[in-house]
Amino acid sequence: MNYSIPSSLQEIAALRQSPTTTETVARAMAGVVRVARQQGRTLDELVAEMLLEDAVLDDQQRSWLCEMIKNIWHRVPVAGE
């Protein structure tokens, strides 16, 4: 199936209304990458933000998530391409 990638923070937030599926999580992650690029942020900046300490993810989970974002960064087309 072909799912659209969110292009704004509002579209990413709207995914909360969808059932939590692999596809929804993948769309949200791709949306984060797309929005970061639109804001002129680099992959390194996005990863650094994700590695910050928080109460939701442990270090291993945060590291796994960063690796997933790195993979998505290189696979998701830049908006308009």
Side-chain angles (χ1 to χ4, degrees), residues 2-70:
N2 188 10
Y3 295 96
S4 63
I5 298 172
S7 296
S8 69
L9 295 176
Q10 294 80 9
E11 290 178 13
I12 294 169
L15 291 175
R16 292 180 184 161
Q17 304 305 315
S18 302
T20 303
T21 64
T22 303
E23 290 82 11
T24 303
V25 172
R27 288 178 63 207
M29 292 172 69
V32 167
V33 167
R34 180 168 279 171
V35 169
R37 285 178 172 162
Q38 289 170 348
Q39 294 173 343
R41 298 172 66 196
T42 67
L43 175 57
D44 289 339
E45 290 170 336
L46 182 57
V47 168
E49 182 179 338
M50 295 175 68
L51 288 172
L52 292 175
E53 188 68 34
D54 67 28
V56 177
L57 302 174
D58 63 31
D59 289 342
Q60 184 177 4
Q61 291 168 324
R62 210 171 3 272
S63 177
W64 176 86
L65 184 59
C66 287
E67 288 305 311
M68 294 300 298
I69 288 294
K70 288 176 186 178

Side-chain angles (χ1 to χ4, degrees), residues 69-81:
I69 288 294
K70 288 176 186 178
N71 285 323
I72 292 168
W73 186 277
H74 296 293
R75 296 180 194 273
V76 170
V78 175
E81 286 186 358

